[in-house]
Amino acid sequence: MAKKPAAHATKPKPWTEMATHLVDVAMGRKPADLVIRNGRWVNVHSGEIIAGTDIAIAGGRFAYCGPNASHAIGQGTKVVDAGGRYLVPGLCDAHMHVESGMVTVTEFCRAVIPHGTTSMFIDPHEIANVLGLPGVRLMHDEAVAMPINVHVQMPSCVPSAPGLEHAGAELTVADVAEAMTWENIIGLGEVMNFPGVAANDPVMSGEIAATVRAGKTVGGHYASRDLGLPFHGYVAGGPEDDHEGTRAEDAIARVRQGMKAMLRLGSAWYDVASQIKAVTESGIDPRNFILCTDDSHSGTLVHEGHMDRVVRHAIQQGLKPVTAIQMATINTAQHFRLEREIGSIAPGRLADLLIVSDLAAMTIDEVYARGARLAKGGKLDIDIPAYDYPKTAKNTVKLGKKFRAGDFDITAPKGANEVRVRVIGVIENQAPTRALEADLPVEDGLVAMDRRNDVCQIALVERHRGTGGVTNAFVSGFGYMGDCAMASSVAHDAHHIICVGTNKQDMALAVNRLGQVGGGVVLFSKGKELALVEMPIAGLMSDERAEIVAAKAEKLTEAMRKMGCSLNNAYMQHSLLALVVIPELRISDVGLIDVTTFQKVDLFV
């Protein structure tokens, strides 16, 4: 049977235009479009689970929630028997980057709707770093066309750390002010330049002021373990939430200062278990805690889930199911000033609802958004047409030349037989890195890698202006033992090309291959291409279906394993090695960056 088109799930009229009709349905004067009977109402306002509940829906909004909706059933009303199953509000992802899924907004929605996500708050700062404001507009317009609620946060830091990297574009205070007038901009994306906020940088303070004047939410990103004066200065500057905490004390400090603590479980970021102890052990009020994913790989979305995965994980850490669900629904809605639109099953709100057979396991049987069923039994029930990106969003990988193995040579100081170098140390399942040091041999005047001690080479290749520039350094933690190289044009946040390898010939081949296909991620070994995920849209996203991308990504993961890499979601770790706003040591087109001091440092100690 052909799937229904997405048009039936268009956005309902505003509550103000629907109120009289909703009243008539609630009073029994007019029939509902849909009545779901005999459910267990998970009420996130009261914290109760109320058995024997009926829900009446009209015009894509909830009209009646109570013990008996028979008065709202008319000749044209569709009736669904929940059979005693749980009625849960549609799940919200409070902070995420679509581009991390390797797919477009459309394909991301196709992947996550069956997992119960009906609202997303996306920060498209990845595409902004490549295409600037026009790139943000592209994703904004695509988001508006979706059958679920995809709200957009205007990227705040492009580039993320001025002076320490050069992105493909730059956003200004004027750009932020303009974006605040767009219909679907919900606020300012994560303010990553935390030293700038604490120092009253005029760009940061100007962007925050423009957002506050528009009555919208300011997203935070304080990626430091220092909870002293820099943290207090950052909070005073205006950011209202933060997802970069990794310890219980981080969550507690943020909540005490009036921020929302966002706890993330992404494909490679496991920060819920440690921080949720602030609630389960320290007794901090859970109303100020919000669950999110931040970055989810396409394979995670297809095979493990999305916000249902996060809620399930939070419950496993000791939270009551209703409390975990509040952190993924009403808490998020309140934070973004959308409590009267989303986040709960209550009259007037958008009719986003899940029918769940096992609450603790988050077993989702059916997904409704705006009163229409979008998924059943883990399968999408509608068709969402592909979104057509223009040519201007493609062919963005500009190398300027064909790279050779010699471009990745690191010349040792004259006369040295051994050198001590700085090494970027990967931390599994966390965004921060360690600043390590290693003694490496010198062969024919060049510094050699030491794969026996897990030290291989990393190169950042400039790709926006075709300069041919390369920054060479060393990295540890991937465990590569065979001759190989993996290159990616996804390299948060400036998105140059990052190549990690044990063999310079393979490094050259990998970089050149990305230039040929317009971006993506590729793995070579001994001159042979083992895996490739093409991402022609801004060098960040595929134009293929999510399940196809996930299959290619799984092939990549398996190839990495064969080369000796056992890291959980190593591709995600790879893609963050140039993120110069998270400590401790990173690489950029400027050089090797110490993110504890925000200064360029020399490779040699």
Side-chain angles (χ1 to χ4, degrees):
M1 181 182 293
K3 291 182 178 178
K4 294 171 286 185
H8 75 292
T10 53
K11 192 170 183 178
K13 294 178 181 178
W15 190 349
T16 51
E17 296 179 21
M18 290 282 300
T20 56
H21 181 66
L22 295 176
V23 170
D24 284 339
V25 172
M27 293 296 293
R29 293 190 289 262
K30 290 184 179 179
D33 301 325
L34 170 67
V35 169
I36 300 176
R37 311 206 69 175
N38 189 27
R40 297 183 188 181
W41 180 16
V42 178
N43 192 308
V44 294
H45 291 287
S46 66
E48 303 170 280
I49 298 177
I50 306 168
T53 296
D54 288 0
I55 305 292
I57 296 168
R61 293 182 181 273
F62 296 117
Y64 170 88
C65 308
N68 186 348
S70 59
H71 63 283
I73 298 175
Q75 188 173 0
T77 304
K78 181 178 180 180
V79 179
V80 173
D81 185 3
R85 291 173 293 176
Y86 299 93
L87 306 179
V88 177
L91 303 179
C92 309
D93 191 345
H95 174 72
M96 53 163 285
H97 308 285
V98 164
E99 303 97 316
S100 293
M102 303 177 165
V103 293
T104 61
V105 175
T106 300
E107 292 308 313
F108 203 101
C109 289
R110 287 186 70 256
V112 304
I113 288 171
H115 293 290
T117 301
T118 59
S119 295
M120 303 191 301
F121 296 82
I122 71 172
D123 180 352
H125 73 216
E126 320 301 354
I127 199 169
N129 271 273
V130 180
L131 298 175
L133 193 61
V136 178
R137 186 75 209 203
L138 283 172
M139 292 190 74
H140 170 278
D141 292 350
E142 183 181 12
V144 171
M146 294 299 100
I148 61 173
N149 317 304
V150 184
H151 297 284
V152 181
Q153 294 176 288
M154 175 60 185
S156 62
C157 300
V158 179
S160 64
L164 298 180
E165 65 178 358
H166 300 96
E170 182 177 349
L171 295 181
T172 65
V173 174
D175 291 329
V176 170
E178 176 187 334
M180 290 301 149
T181 67
W182 299 352
E183 64 174 303
N184 199 36
I185 293 292
I186 198 67
L188 189 65
E190 54 182 313
V191 181
M192 295 177 286
N193 187 0
F194 53 91
V197 175
N200 279 327
D201 175 85
V203 174
M204 292 296 93
S205 59
E207 290 183 356
I208 292 171
T211 304
V212 174
R213 280 195 295 268
K216 299 183 179 183
T217 304
V218 179
H221 171 118
Y222 184 78
S224 172
R225 297 168 72 89
D226 183 355
L227 298 177
L229 290 183
F231 170 69
H232 289 270
Y234 182 76
V235 178
E240 299 173 71
D241 60 58
D242 188 53
H243 58 274
E244 288 295 337
T246 59
R247 308 165 298 176
E249 55 261 45
D250 294 331
I252 292 171
R254 286 151 173 77
V255 169
R256 284 176 176 169
Q257 296 293 324
M259 302 178 85
K260 296 294 189 295
M262 288 188 175
L263 316 186
R264 63 183 172 186
L265 179 72
S267 293
W269 326 134
Y270 285 59
D271 299 323
V272 174
S274 57
Q275 293 188 89
I276 206 65
K277 292 177 182 177
V279 175
T280 58
E281 296 181 6
S282 299
I284 300 297
D285 191 333
R287 290 179 299 173
N288 294 306
F289 288 74
I290 293 174
L291 297 175
C292 69
T293 65
D294 198 359
D295 297 293
S296 290
H297 187 272
S298 57
T300 303
L301 301 177
V302 171
H303 302 301
E304 299 179 43
H306 189 229
M307 283 307 297
D308 59 328
R309 170 177 175 260
V310 186
V311 171
R312 190 181 306 120
H313 176 74
I315 293 170
Q316 291 168 351
Q317 306 313 310
L319 279 185
K320 294 178 181 179
V322 173
T323 304
I325 290 168
Q326 287 171 323
M327 292 182 182
T329 56
I330 189 64
N331 292 9
T332 305
Q334 290 173 337
H335 178 54
F336 288 103
R337 301 165 175 83
L338 291 174
E339 183 184 355
R340 290 180 67 93
E341 281 290 290
I342 63 172
S344 67
I345 298 172
R349 279 71 171 177
L350 293 175
D352 300 339
L353 167 147
L354 316 177
I355 298 180
V356 175
S357 53
D358 186 326
L359 200 62
M362 282 304 293
T363 305
I364 300 171
D365 298 337
E366 297 183 38
V367 178
Y368 291 80
R370 304 171 184 175
R373 194 181 75 187
L374 302 189
K376 182 178 181 180
K379 302 293 183 182
L380 201 63
D381 207 26
I382 61 166
D383 180 49
I384 308 176
Y387 193 82
D388 187 25
Y389 273 76
K391 290 182 180 179
T392 53
K394 301 177 182 179
N395 300 314
T396 62
V397 177
K398 302 176 177 67
L399 298 183
K401 70 175 190 178
K402 183 175 181 179
F403 285 83
R404 303 183 183 279
D407 291 309
F408 306 104
D409 286 343
I410 298 177
T411 303
K414 190 173 181 180
N417 295 317
E418 184 180 81
V419 292
R420 176 164 281 257
V421 298
R422 290 182 170 86
V423 178
I424 301 170
V426 173
I427 304 174
E428 187 168 23
N429 292 329
Q430 287 195 5
T433 64
R434 292 189 180 94
L436 306 177
E437 295 180 1
D439 294 316
L440 297 180
V442 175
E443 300 172 0
D444 298 324
L446 302 177
V447 183
M449 294 174 253
D450 185 3
R451 69 178 72 173
R452 289 176 302 177
N453 290 307
D454 193 21
V455 178
C456 57
Q457 197 162 324
I458 179 171
L460 186 138
V461 177
E462 199 282 328
R463 70 102 158 176
H464 296 303
R465 298 169 182 85
T467 65
V470 180
T471 301
N472 287 304
F474 295 97
V475 65
S476 176
F478 287 102
Y480 292 130
M481 296 301 293
D483 287 339
C484 66
M486 190 173 92
S488 169
S489 57
V490 178
H492 306 273
D493 274 333
H495 297 293
H496 295 290
I497 289 177
I498 288 179
C499 186
V500 173
T502 61
N503 180 288
K504 295 175 188 177
Q505 286 79 16
D506 286 331
M507 292 176 74
L509 289 170
V511 170
N512 291 332
R513 182 67 166 133
L514 294 186
Q516 293 172 351
V517 300
V521 55
V522 65
L523 179 64
F524 273 81
S525 177
K526 297 180 179 179
K528 181 180 179 181
E529 181 180 297
L530 301 186
L532 171 67
V533 184
E534 303 94 329
M535 300 184 213
I537 301 173
L540 301 172
M541 296 176 286
S542 171
D543 50 9
E544 295 183 295
R545 293 288 195 185
E547 54 268 29
I548 295 174
V549 178
K552 291 183 177 181
E554 179 56 36
K555 185 177 180 181
L556 173 71
T557 300
E558 183 57 33
M560 294 174 75
R561 288 196 195 103
K562 289 181 179 178
M563 293 298 106
C565 181
S566 60
L567 277 178
N568 175 54
N569 222 303
Y571 162 74
M572 282 286 189
Q573 305 278 180
H574 176 109
S575 69
L576 259 68
L577 293 172
L579 188 51
V580 292
V581 292
I582 298 183
E584 293 176 340
L585 191 62
R586 304 281 168 171
I587 191 172
S588 84
D589 62 309
V590 171
L592 205 56
I593 306 298
D594 181 340
V595 190
T596 63
T597 62
F598 282 87
Q599 292 181 340
K600 177 183 175 181
V601 293
D602 195 76
L603 174 62
F604 300 106
V605 179

